[in-house]
Amino acid sequence: MSQTEASPKESRPQSQGSELSAELLHEKCTEIARNLWWSWHSEVVNLFRDLDPIRWRQLDHNPIALLAEFTPERLEARAGELVLYSRINQAYRQLKEYLASNQTWGATNAGVLGASPVAYFSAEFGIHESVPIYSGGLGVLSGDHIKSASGLGIPLVAIGLFYDQGYFRQRLDDESYQVEEYQDTLVENLPMEPAVSNDGKPVTVEIDTRDGKLFAKVWLMHVGRINLYLLDCDVEGNKPEDRELTSRLYGGDTRTRIRQELVLGIGGMRVLRACGITPGAYHMNEGHSAFAGLEAIRDFMHVDGLDFDEALREVAHRSVFTTHTPVPAGHDRFDSALIEEHIGPLRESLGISLHQLMGLGRVDPQNENESFCMTVLALKLSRRANAVSSLHGQVSRRMWAHLWPWRVEEEIPIGHITNGIHIPSFLAFQMRQLYDRHLPAGWASRMGESEVWQSIHQIDPGELWETHYALKNLMLTFVRRRVSRQCRRRGESDEAVEAARNVLNPNALTIGFARRFATYKRANLFMWDIERLYELLDDTDRPVQFIFAGKAHPADEPGKRFIQQIDSLRHDPKISGKVVFVEDYDINVGRHLVQGVDVWLNNPRRPLEASGTSGQKVILNGGLNCSVLDGWWAEAYNGMNGFAIGEGRTHASDEVADHRDSEDLYQVLKNQVIPTFYDCDSDGLPRQWITMMMHSIGSLAWRFSAHRMVMDYCRSAYLPAAGGLSCDMTIRVG
Ligand SMILES: *Cc1c(COP(=O)(O)O)cnc(C)c1O
């Protein structure tokens, strides 16, 4: 809303200058900052940024930290200077209306969940860069899931862990080797407060183990209409080592891991009970939280008087399990000693033997040599299970077929719901304005519907291209700033810092690659044959350049070597300035890159990318995907909406796959991507490229949105699990 549209009454407080109005203004801003709803409303983000753009950046875009630096008087002065009153009032009113509204998809379609919401468990939530409790795709997916559940008005509560050091910050040393830095997050700067039970007391939970009790306190974070509960073991009463149990995400050994999962699953269920929440359905996002099912069984036995088998059936009926990992080694496994140490006391109250308990985590319950697998437990405790793309569904059915030895592969009860992204969180402001002008009114609340996107073909090609070009330049400015800062920090010469300020060419075809540096994602595939890379980069008529970002897990040496190989290219005079590595990949870096690249590159070793989501983030911003036909892209690519690397074959060995796929990558770049990008008409517009952008947006935006994904979960999993439908649907298979 612009200044001129505001009534004079709104545009400044009635008693401007009085202490009261200054206080009130500060309170309103703080209230907005304390619901992460602000993070996916660019006009609200811009409002905070405008208060102090430099501090905003330095404070990781954290509005609570920023507001803490403003006294009410200073805030009022600043708001006066920038004429922010109406924007603050507008944002405040919008938030209030959003929270109060019951005109939602969920109110119409998921009313039955109202009194008994979905309980959504995940080990990480990636909501915004200022809340560092995520490491990668799984976390961002969970964050997107709850944001869309909020937008759709689906009754859902979320449960996770609070990691006070989160995941690490990444720096590269002089040898381009990854260095991990852990920082304590200041709790007072996060939008959360202690969760309180119905009697008004702060919630704490305790969990018995053979080795003593484990305690956790509980934080409540507001994500739009969704309550996110985060368990935190840094409490008095815990042993010193247990106080650090939830310090770091995916740190520590197997014992740390099982204890974190104990807190998430069993502790999480106890939080719900303490808060008076009786879920209608449980959704376990990956196997980390599968112990929750055991605690739910205990509840049904003790509260409803069911026996173990009846209680297990009841829990399974209500449980939905999503698997994300297509390799057997990626699933958590624990030996029986660790299981007995941690689940022993619960096992006794369930009245089952250790052998029976272990059987729940084994494919073959009688096989004493099998360890306890969290995925197996989750599959046995859930009537509804799904993979995260169609291809991953096939892989998962094959992988777990031996759990149902009497069924043929097609009948293995693991379906799929393909992942999607929360569009407002990744959509550039300028693109949103373009859509506001050209898409049907109210498009933003109907993003998961295909009809909304069909008018994309009516947009003027020149306007679409210019918007993309402007965004590309903004992204390049960001990358140059980050790269030159890296140079300065490494103590490089003034010339090097200056050169870094001018890396990359705004007119060159710009290819982005950012994700975790897990080796199967093969970040270094583009340099498989260095001579061919030189050829691509050297072409002065049709230049190509690459931007990389990503963290390797601290224990992943091969992943760190990939980073080193890529960042070291800056010393090669033939490459310098044309391939850059941006340190410390997070949601912020990701958002900048997906908003400005021409092409998003994805070349995992098929079929190891269960879905992948980062490529979905470029669609709405006008970028094109160039990807191996794996994960979501295997079902998204239609020949007109992007580029395919290879033909979707799975190769006999890693060596063969890398060899063939790199060959296919160079071929598609040389024969398709580069010629199409540089084929311009007399107006300087790459017509065919722009047509592909439109096909990409029109055919993919709605399908790979988290709104569509959450509606799918609701219809095919949550409602049947909560017993709201008379017909018992299962998640569609294949
Ligand atoms: C979207 C996103 C991911 C997921 O990327 P993939 O390509 O699916 O691996 C990981 N990390 C961050 C910060 C993201 O925003």
Side-chain angles (χ1 to χ4, degrees):
M1 185 180 199
S2 79
Q3 201 50 43
T4 48
E5 287 165 320
S7 70
K9 207 166 144 215
E10 283 169 345
S11 62
R12 72 187 46 157
Q14 275 115 359
S15 48
Q16 192 184 356
S18 83
E19 208 173 300
L20 184 69
S21 72
E23 297 279 342
L24 211 68
L25 194 70
H26 202 279
E27 273 168 31
K28 276 189 177 177
C29 287
T30 306
E31 206 173 320
I32 298 168
R34 296 196 71 85
N35 188 319
L36 284 159
W37 168 91
W38 68 263
S39 69
W40 65 89
H41 291 82
S42 26
E43 65 284 0
V44 190
V45 175
N46 294 346
L47 175 68
F48 288 129
R49 186 201 54 207
D50 291 350
L51 286 175
D52 189 337
I54 293 174
R55 288 302 288 153
W56 177 247
R57 198 189 301 149
Q58 290 167 343
L59 293 167
D60 278 329
H61 307 156
N62 182 333
I64 297 179
L66 184 75
L67 288 166
E69 298 185 352
F70 279 83
T71 61
E73 292 67 35
R74 192 171 149 235
L75 182 68
E76 192 187 41
R78 187 76 182 137
E81 214 174 292
L82 299 174
V83 220
L84 295 178
Y85 295 109
S86 68
R87 285 167 66 194
I88 293 169
N89 282 323
Q90 161 88 358
Y92 185 78
R93 200 169 44 233
Q94 222 185 317
L95 171 62
K96 291 283 157 178
E97 280 171 11
Y98 178 83
L99 295 177
S101 169
N102 50 17
Q103 312 262 297
T104 61
W105 185 89
T108 313
N109 296 283
V112 63
L113 297 169
S116 49
V118 178
Y120 179 87
F121 288 81
S122 183
E124 44 171 320
F125 286 88
I127 301 162
H128 185 259
E129 56 268 24
S130 61
V131 185
I133 54 170
Y134 65 94
S135 80
L138 184 72
V140 176
L141 179 80
S142 307
D144 283 3
H145 193 105
I146 64 176
K147 288 172 185 173
S148 279
S150 170
L152 292 164
I154 290 167
L156 181 144
V157 293
I159 295 120
L161 297 178
F162 177 65
Y163 306 95
D164 57 6
Q165 297 191 331
Y167 205 49
F168 63 92
R169 308 292 298 251
Q170 178 195 52
R171 303 278 173 260
L172 303 192
D173 68 13
D174 294 346
E175 263 77 61
S176 298
Y177 190 75
Q178 171 177 297
V179 179
E180 296 100 27
E181 288 174 3
Y182 288 90
Q183 291 173 1
D184 285 328
T185 311
L186 290 176
V187 166
E188 62 268 30
N189 284 346
L190 291 181
M192 58 187 201
E193 68 232 12
V196 291
S197 57
N198 291 337
D199 58 10
K201 294 212 187 75
V203 178
T204 55
V205 296
E206 58 174 79
I207 303 162
D208 274 325
T209 74
R210 292 287 183 228
D211 181 41
K213 283 188 195 304
L214 204 52
F215 298 91
K217 62 185 170 190
V218 186
W219 300 100
L220 171 59
M221 199 176 268
H222 300 281
V223 184
R225 300 182 177 106
I226 304 296
N227 283 349
L228 167 59
Y229 294 95
L230 297 169
L231 291 101
D232 177 353
C233 288
D234 185 15
V235 285
E236 271 172 46
N238 274 339
K239 292 178 212 145
E241 66 269 27
D242 287 335
R243 293 192 71 152
E244 289 175 13
L245 185 57
T246 50
S247 288
R248 295 178 180 185
L249 184 52
Y250 305 142
D253 56 7
T254 326
R255 190 156 181 278
T256 305
R257 188 76 166 217
I258 193 173
R259 289 169 87 77
Q260 287 190 341
E261 296 185 358
L262 188 74
V263 174
L264 176 64
I266 295 178
M269 286 294 294
R270 294 184 181 169
V271 172
L272 294 171
R273 194 174 332 112
C275 294
I277 298 165
T278 316
Y282 310 102
H283 185 175
M284 288 169 275
N285 191 42
E286 193 55 307
H288 308 127
S289 55
F291 290 141
L294 297 176
E295 174 69 5
I297 293 174
R298 197 186 67 96
D299 255 6
F300 276 111
M301 292 174 70
H302 288 239
V303 180
D304 301 274
L306 305 184
D307 70 25
F308 179 81
D309 291 328
E310 291 166 343
L312 189 150
R313 269 198 299 278
E314 191 63 35
V315 168
H317 179 76
R318 290 171 189 277
S319 297
V320 181
F321 168 56
T322 303
T323 176
H324 294 264
T325 315
V327 269
H331 298 259
D332 278 327
R333 287 172 193 277
F334 302 115
D335 63 30
S336 64
L338 274 180
I339 289 290
E340 177 57 18
E341 179 188 347
H342 294 98
I343 307 292
L346 174 62
R347 173 182 72 69
E348 277 166 5
S349 60
L350 297 177
I352 58 173
S353 67
L354 178 58
H355 181 71
Q356 282 172 300
L357 175 63
M358 288 298 290
L360 288 171
R362 285 174 173 149
V363 173
D364 173 5
Q366 303 309 327
N367 181 355
E368 297 283 340
N369 295 324
E370 230 186 287
S371 52
F372 187 98
C373 174
M374 294 299 275
T375 305
V376 174
L377 178 69
L379 286 167
K380 291 191 179 185
L381 295 186
S382 315
R383 272 279 294 284
R384 291 170 187 80
N386 69 288
V388 290
S389 71
S390 172
L391 180 61
H392 180 225
Q394 290 172 30
V395 171
S396 300
R397 284 189 288 283
R398 192 166 313 144
M399 192 158 103
W400 298 110
H402 39 308
L403 265 176
W404 291 272
W406 60 95
R407 294 198 190 189
V408 297
E409 202 170 291
E410 293 71 34
E411 288 175 355
I412 298 300
I414 302 176
H416 79 270
I417 292 178
T418 305
N419 286 343
I421 56 115
H422 184 246
I423 293 172
S425 294
F426 296 99
L427 177 60
F429 187 55
Q430 294 83 339
M431 273 291 173
R432 207 191 70 188
Q433 290 177 314
L434 182 75
Y435 296 138
D436 282 342
R437 287 197 294 277
H438 296 286
L439 295 183
W443 71 272
S445 56
R446 296 169 52 210
M447 287 173 298
E449 300 170 29
S450 95
E451 304 81 63
V452 172
W453 295 100
Q454 297 326 306
S455 30
I456 190 75
H457 295 281
Q458 267 99 60
I459 293 185
D460 174 56
E463 196 182 351
L464 181 59
W465 185 249
E466 271 167 33
T467 309
H468 167 67
Y469 194 75
L471 286 169
K472 181 172 169 179
N473 275 294
L474 284 176
M475 185 270 293
L476 291 177
T477 306
F478 169 83
V479 170
R480 287 168 171 167
R481 188 171 62 229
R482 294 288 290 249
V483 173
S484 63
R485 198 177 77 190
Q486 285 165 210
C487 269
R488 203 166 334 112
R489 190 185 40 74
R490 288 198 269 217
E492 293 182 13
S493 67
D494 289 348
E495 298 87 81
V497 175
E498 187 53 32
R501 227 175 258 135
N502 293 299
V503 291
L504 304 171
N505 164 5
N507 296 313
L509 170 64
T510 303
I511 301 178
F513 181 108
R515 45 180 65 82
R516 289 183 304 113
F517 266 52
T519 45
Y520 78 85
K521 292 176 186 264
R522 298 187 298 190
N524 61 352
L525 196 71
F526 79 114
M527 54 185 292
W528 181 266
D529 180 342
I530 201 78
E531 292 301 327
R532 298 184 70 176
L533 177 62
Y534 287 153
E535 228 176 273
L536 290 175
L537 301 178
D538 274 354
D539 190 329
T540 38
D541 293 332
R542 304 190 304 176
V544 179
Q545 59 194 8
F546 291 85
I547 304 171
F548 284 86
K551 295 174 177 175
H553 186 278
D556 180 9
E557 281 303 323
K560 291 184 187 179
R561 275 202 298 279
F562 282 13
I563 293 175
Q564 195 169 30
Q565 280 174 8
I566 295 173
D567 190 61
S568 301
L569 293 175
R570 69 206 167 90
H571 303 302
D572 182 335
K574 289 194 181 138
I575 290 185
S576 176
K578 296 174 183 166
V579 175
V580 301
F581 187 94
V582 180
E583 284 178 347
D584 205 27
Y585 180 49
D586 66 354
I587 291 178
N588 178 40
V589 173
R591 196 176 44 239
H592 276 91
L593 297 187
V594 298
Q595 291 180 353
V597 294
D598 298 309
V599 170
W600 194 253
L601 179 63
N602 178 43
N603 43 228
R605 213 172 264 144
R606 192 179 189 268
L608 298 188
E609 193 63 88
S611 167
T613 53
S614 60
Q616 301 169 349
K617 300 168 191 167
V618 307
I619 297 167
L620 261 289
N621 293 303
L624 292 179
N625 279 276
C626 176
S627 170
V628 165
L629 290 166
D630 194 12
W632 76 283
W633 192 240
E635 68 201 74
Y637 175 66
N638 70 4
M640 299 188 294
N641 56 7
F643 303 96
I645 303 169
E647 286 159 358
R649 275 195 282 266
T650 299
H651 300 287
S653 73
D654 290 354
E655 288 70 30
V656 175
D658 295 355
H659 184 74
R660 295 292 298 272
D661 291 346
S662 61
E663 178 63 33
D664 286 335
L665 170 59
Y666 294 125
Q667 290 290 344
V668 74
L669 290 177
K670 184 158 174 253
N671 300 332
Q672 295 179 45
V673 182
I674 297 170
T676 313
F677 183 82
Y678 284 107
D679 179 17
C680 294
D681 68 6
S682 52
D683 297 330
L685 294 180
R687 290 278 169 177
Q688 201 196 334
W689 188 274
I690 299 171
T691 305
M692 285 179 84
M693 286 163 71
M694 289 178 174
H695 278 298
S696 165
I697 298 166
S699 66
L700 304 175
W702 68 275
R703 264 176 77 196
F704 299 99
S705 72
H707 273 51
R708 187 276 309 151
M709 169 181 76
V710 172
M711 289 193 289
D712 277 356
Y713 274 106
C714 204
R715 284 188 287 237
S716 58
Y718 298 161
L719 290 173
L725 287 185
S726 49
C727 72
D728 194 34
M729 300 196 295
T730 45
I731 293 168
R732 66 175 185 276
V733 170

